[in-house]
Amino acid sequence: VRLKTLTAFTRQLATLIGAGLPLLRSLQILQDQVESSNLRRALVKVTGEVESGATFSEALSHQPQVFKKLYVNMVKAGEIGGALEEILDRLATYFEKNAALRAKVLSALYYPVAVLLIATLLVNVILIFIVPRFQELYGDAGAALPAPTQVLVDISQMIRYRGPWLAGFFLLTGILFWQLGKTHQGKHLLDQIQLKIPVFGGLIQKACVARFSRTFSTLLEAGVPILQSLIIVRDTSGNEVLGRAMVSIHNSVRQGDSIHEPMHLCPVFPTLVCHMIAVGEETGAVDRMLTKVADAYEREVDSAVEGLTALIEPLLIVFLGVLIGFIVIALYLPLFNIGKIIHD
């Protein structure tokens, strides 16, 4: 089920409960209105279990493909505290902020990737179909090829005759990385590399800190116990480096120690964040401090995305201009030699 669909359902359920409708009646209304067939099937099962006497959180926990641990535990906290409407509202707000953050990061990553893929496709078309025509023309004229043209011809021949091998190599490499990402060690290695990528690594780090802070603060504000919250944050972090840090923090808290001390050992967390969490622990306001951290880093992600977009656009234009310029010059450079041969 798409996050946007789940967010809309959560917001609507909070509205119906806030209007005074019983939970069971609210679920029956919504299961007839949702457009997602997967969500509708899950809601039918949840409604049936609630009607049979199960609690809402218990029924949700039996549909883990739709309702994750974060959702189930927050609903459970809302049931215990008698504030289900408020918790559902908070969940919807969390999903909206999370989706907005994800969209901003992806927008910064998708643009250069899309441009480079299109450029690669066009350059391959030139190398496979156009360069050989020029090669035949210059070969018939008996003109010696300058170094840039010879380089272009060599690249063209390599792609034409060894293209399937190159494509197979890149495909195999992609599959190996994909399989590597399925293992804990492999994902940890890939996430470490991801955080060290020039320019983009800083953006990914800020997004990780913002997501961690927002998730952790939302759970604590909802009344979910801190140890359970740390486990949920670990499972929903999406980053193995951050997930391992959550294990260290969980062990520290379970032994009666602080949250901020293990955070210093994790490269994802800046020193400022660790100090802010330490202040939150001293004042007994960790949830409020985490909310401030989340707000601050979401603003930093906004600024980083704007800065990257402003930087990447001219760099891509210059790169493509140099690439196309080299191809055009290399293709037409032998024409000067042809002129000399004809003159002689």
Side-chain angles (χ1 to χ4, degrees):
V1 177
R2 294 174 59 193
L3 184 60
K4 185 178 178 181
T5 304
L6 191 61
T7 304
F9 158 75
T10 307
R11 184 73 74 189
Q12 291 166 355
L13 182 59
T15 303
L16 291 173
I17 292 173
L21 270 72
L23 174 63
L24 186 59
R25 179 58 182 151
S26 301
L27 290 172
Q28 290 169 342
I29 292 170
L30 291 176
Q31 77 182 28
D32 295 330
Q33 295 182 355
V34 293
E35 296 179 0
S36 169
S37 58
N38 289 332
L39 181 57
R40 188 181 301 110
R41 281 194 294 269
L43 285 179
V44 168
K45 293 176 182 177
V46 168
T47 304
E49 289 190 36
V50 171
E51 198 170 8
S52 300
T55 64
F56 187 32
S57 58
E58 286 174 348
L60 293 176
S61 67
H62 296 152
Q63 306 299 324
Q65 297 300 321
V66 178
F67 302 102
K68 308 299 182 185
K69 286 184 179 180
L70 171 73
Y71 203 106
V72 173
N73 281 276
M74 284 193 65
V75 167
K76 186 176 181 179
E79 288 175 328
I80 294 170
L84 186 58
E85 177 201 350
E86 181 185 345
I87 293 298
L88 289 169
D89 249 334
R90 194 171 290 168
L91 256 176
T93 302
Y94 165 78
F95 286 145
E96 288 164 356
K97 288 183 178 292
N98 200 23
L101 179 67
R102 180 182 174 84
K104 286 167 188 170
V105 175
L106 290 179
S107 68
L109 298 176
Y110 280 160
Y111 175 74
V113 170
V115 171
L116 291 174
L117 284 175
I118 294 170
T120 302
L121 179 64
L122 292 175
V123 168
N124 275 296
V125 169
I126 292 171
L127 291 172
I128 293 170
F129 297 105
I130 298 177
V131 172
R133 299 291 181 88
F134 278 84
Q135 184 183 358
E136 291 175 7
L137 174 66
Y138 296 142
D140 293 340
L145 296 179
T149 310
Q150 189 62 53
V151 168
L152 195 65
V153 168
D154 291 342
I155 294 172
S156 172
Q157 288 180 335
M158 183 179 68
I159 290 175
R160 286 166 59 205
Y161 298 118
R162 299 181 182 176
W165 293 102
L166 289 171
F169 170 75
F170 285 118
L171 180 62
L172 182 62
T173 304
I175 292 171
L176 286 174
F177 273 105
W178 182 56
Q179 291 295 331
L180 186 65
K182 287 185 172 183
T183 65
H184 288 295
Q185 291 295 334
K187 190 170 189 319
H188 183 256
L189 176 64
L190 293 177
D191 286 342
Q192 280 183 318
I193 295 170
Q194 194 179 63
L195 292 169
K196 293 177 182 177
I197 297 173
V199 184
F200 292 105
L203 174 62
I204 294 168
Q205 180 191 14
K206 289 181 176 69
C208 283
V209 173
R211 184 174 182 178
F212 153 78
S213 304
R214 182 68 64 191
T215 307
F216 200 8
S217 66
T218 303
L219 288 164
L220 292 178
E221 287 173 355
V224 179
I226 188 168
L227 290 175
Q228 196 171 353
S229 298
L230 287 168
I231 293 172
I232 296 168
V233 172
R234 180 199 66 192
D235 294 339
T236 58
S237 65
N239 185 289
E240 191 64 24
V241 178
L242 191 62
R244 292 192 178 190
M246 290 302 100
V247 174
S248 299
I249 296 170
H250 179 273
N251 293 337
S252 175
V253 173
R254 189 173 58 185
Q255 294 168 8
D257 296 329
S258 64
I259 298 173
H260 71 275
E261 287 180 5
M263 290 177 69
H264 284 286
L265 303 176
C266 181
V268 177
F269 298 108
T271 306
L272 177 63
V273 173
C274 299
H275 288 315
M276 290 181 72
I277 301 300
V279 172
E281 287 185 286
E282 290 173 8
T283 58
V286 176
D287 53 348
R288 288 198 294 273
M289 195 60 70
L290 284 166
T291 300
K292 290 180 180 179
V293 171
D295 291 338
Y297 272 85
E298 282 169 3
R299 287 194 295 269
E300 286 201 24
V301 168
D302 287 343
S303 301
V305 169
E306 290 174 6
L308 276 176
T309 304
L311 176 67
I312 287 171
E313 286 183 4
L315 285 177
L316 283 174
I317 290 170
V318 170
F319 170 74
L320 293 176
V322 170
L323 179 63
I324 300 300
F326 170 78
I327 292 173
V328 171
I329 292 170
L331 284 177
Y332 286 96
L333 203 57
L335 288 176
F336 296 104
N337 292 341
I338 290 176
K340 289 180 183 178
I341 292 172
I342 294 173
H343 184 268
D344 294 341

